[in-house]
């Protein structure tokens, strides 16, 4: 029996078949093996081309939460971050000033005297009593930078406010801000000028930051009112003094926010941790032995025969 000819307009051809026909017409192979559409090893690997913000802004919060959980509970992750902070910062950060005395029109002796004086002033400001360099007065400069290094590695970015306190001998002080608070006001969608709490100008340079007045998780606490409000902080004052500092490792052009350094290892480290816990539980169960005694005797007599006591 012969099939009826196709009717009712042009026949739809699957995209894969159409692409295969086009590739055959062009010689059958891609110029680069990495771009092959029909290689068995690559056929199911079809990543998309997206901008840096399209890749990061959707997933950075969830990746950051998982990285923090890994840092809290995985011994290797915690040790990696600790060693990285020690290697980059060390035990004590010293300032060694070397001014260009020739450019300033000073002689070498005057320059050495100025260098020694400035180093003393910096050490008093950064590591002196009272921890005046921190707005919260909890850490001196070295421990402050260790904390910033850990945050930058786990969270992928560091946000810092340059405060002004006229009651202190050195009025400039610094405060680390949780990057969870950096977000669009009232959950507004991202635009070309506002992305994940960062306000941008025509050239893509940040001009200001929208920061929640409390952490998002504080909605259920006593600070619920502040957790629902935002404040705008410019990047710098009109005369150029920095107000907010935002640091993150840029891996692509036009990147607005950072993402945790643990992105590529979160999944394997988590699976390794779960496997280790399951393996340990299995070993504990295998080490446990139980025995059952069947006898017509009273159980109290059996316990006494085995040296036990019956209450």
């Amino acid at each position: 029996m012969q099939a009826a000819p196709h009717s009712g307009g042009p026949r739809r051809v699957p995209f894969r078949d159409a692409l295969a026909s086009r590739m055959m017409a062009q010689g059958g192979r891609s110029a680069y093996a990495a771009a092959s559409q029909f290689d068995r090893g690559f056929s199911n690997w079809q990543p998309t081309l997206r901008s840096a913000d399209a890749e990061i802004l959707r997933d950075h919060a969830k990746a950051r939460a998982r990285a923090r959980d890994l840092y809290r509970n995985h011994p290797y992750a915690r040790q990696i971050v600790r060693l990285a902070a020690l290697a980059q910062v060390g035990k004590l950060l010293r300032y060694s000033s070397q001014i260009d005395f020739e450019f300033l029109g000073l002689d070498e002796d005057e320059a050495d005297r100025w260098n020694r004086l400035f180093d003393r002033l910096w050490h008093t400001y950064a590591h002196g009593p009272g921890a005046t360099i921190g707005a919260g007065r909890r850490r001196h400069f070295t421990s402050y930078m260790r904390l910033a290094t850990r945050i930058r590695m786990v969270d992928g970015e560091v946000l810092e406010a340059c405060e002004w306190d006229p009651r202190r001998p050195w009025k400039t002080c610094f405060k680390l801000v949780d990057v969870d608070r950096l977000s669009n006001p009232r959950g507004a969608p991202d635009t070309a000028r506002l992305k994940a709490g960062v306000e941008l100008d025509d050239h893509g340079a940040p001009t200001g930051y929208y920061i929640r007045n409390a952490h998002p998780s504080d909605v259920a606490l006593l600070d619920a009112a502040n957790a629902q409000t935002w404040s705008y902080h410019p990047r710098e004052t009109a005369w150029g003094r920095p107000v907010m500092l935002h640091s993150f490792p840029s891996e692509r052009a036009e990147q607005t926010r950072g993402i945790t350094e643990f992105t590529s290892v979160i999944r394997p480290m988590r699976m390794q941790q779960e496997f280790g816990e399951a393996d340990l539980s299995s070993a504990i169960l295998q080490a446990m032995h139980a025995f059952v005694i069947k006898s017509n005797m009273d159980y109290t007599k059996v316990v006494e025969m085995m040296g036990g006591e019956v209450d």
Side-chain angles (χ1 to χ4, degrees):
M1 183 175 180
Q2 187 176 3
H6 178 75
S7 60
R11 182 173 62 90
R12 291 185 178 181
V13 179
F15 173 78
R16 185 179 181 86
D17 296 343
L19 184 61
S21 300
R22 183 175 179 181
M23 294 293 293
M24 292 299 295
Q26 295 178 353
R29 292 184 179 181
S30 300
Y32 295 92
S36 175
Q37 298 286 343
F38 307 105
D39 188 284
R40 291 184 178 180
F42 287 176
S43 60
N44 293 326
W45 187 17
Q46 301 293 337
T48 58
L49 291 176
R50 293 183 292 180
S51 66
D53 287 340
E55 290 179 347
I56 292 174
L57 298 184
R58 187 188 68 175
D59 300 328
H60 70 120
K62 178 59 68 176
R64 183 166 64 245
R66 288 174 175 170
R68 289 176 183 173
D69 185 80
L70 200 68
Y71 172 70
R72 288 191 298 265
N73 298 296
H74 199 292
Y76 291 165
R78 194 173 190 88
Q79 191 72 355
I80 288 170
V81 175
R82 188 186 71 85
L83 292 177
L86 287 175
Q88 295 181 37
V89 179
K91 293 184 177 180
L92 183 67
L93 283 174
R94 296 181 180 273
Y95 193 95
S96 180
S97 58
Q98 297 292 332
I99 66 172
D100 191 350
F101 62 92
E102 294 179 349
F103 179 78
L104 297 176
L106 303 175
D107 57 38
E108 191 170 355
D109 293 336
E110 180 67 15
D112 291 340
R113 188 191 67 81
W114 193 92
N115 287 334
R116 291 193 299 270
L117 177 61
F118 184 82
D119 290 348
R120 290 195 203 98
L121 290 174
W122 166 257
H123 184 75
T124 304
Y125 170 55
H127 298 96
T132 56
I133 195 171
R137 304 189 66 175
R138 295 186 180 93
R139 301 175 183 87
H140 56 71
F141 182 68
T142 300
S143 60
Y144 188 91
M145 293 305 298
R146 282 202 210 101
L147 177 60
T149 303
R150 289 195 294 268
I151 293 174
R152 192 173 188 264
M153 189 171 183
V154 177
D155 291 353
E157 53 188 342
V158 179
L159 186 64
E160 183 180 54
C162 303
E163 304 287 351
W164 182 267
D165 189 351
R167 300 168 298 176
R168 306 187 185 197
W170 290 279
K171 298 175 178 57
T172 298
C173 52
F174 302 93
K175 178 182 179 181
L176 290 171
V177 180
D178 197 322
V179 293
D180 295 349
R181 296 169 56 190
L182 181 60
S183 59
N184 293 344
R186 293 172 294 278
D190 293 332
T191 63
R193 294 294 189 90
L194 180 63
K195 295 181 179 181
V198 182
E199 185 184 63
L200 307 172
D201 62 10
D202 294 336
H203 302 285
T207 58
Y209 304 88
Y210 287 93
I211 301 176
R212 265 185 165 177
N213 295 322
H215 194 274
S217 64
D218 292 342
V219 173
L221 302 178
L222 298 178
D223 211 10
N226 288 330
Q228 296 296 331
T229 58
W230 281 256
S231 298
Y232 177 76
H233 301 267
R235 180 182 181 179
E236 57 190 14
T237 62
W239 58 91
R241 180 182 182 273
V243 177
M244 298 298 300
L245 303 176
H246 186 210
S247 173
F248 59 89
S250 297
E251 298 181 355
R252 293 194 47 196
E254 302 176 355
Q255 182 177 339
T256 306
R257 295 284 301 267
I259 193 166
T260 174
E261 298 281 358
F262 284 89
T263 48
S264 59
V265 298
I266 286 178
R267 188 169 182 269
M269 290 186 74
R270 177 61 177 172
M271 294 177 66
Q272 182 268 338
Q273 185 181 25
E274 291 181 348
F275 175 79
E277 293 175 355
D279 192 31
L280 179 61
S281 299
S282 177
I284 293 174
L285 290 175
Q286 292 178 10
M288 297 174 62
H289 299 280
F291 64 91
V292 179
I293 299 178
K294 293 184 178 180
S295 174
N296 294 327
M297 297 174 60
D298 183 70
Y299 81 97
T300 57
K301 295 182 178 180
V302 175
V303 173
E304 291 175 355
M305 291 175 58
M306 297 180 61
E309 296 181 357
V310 180
D311 187 359

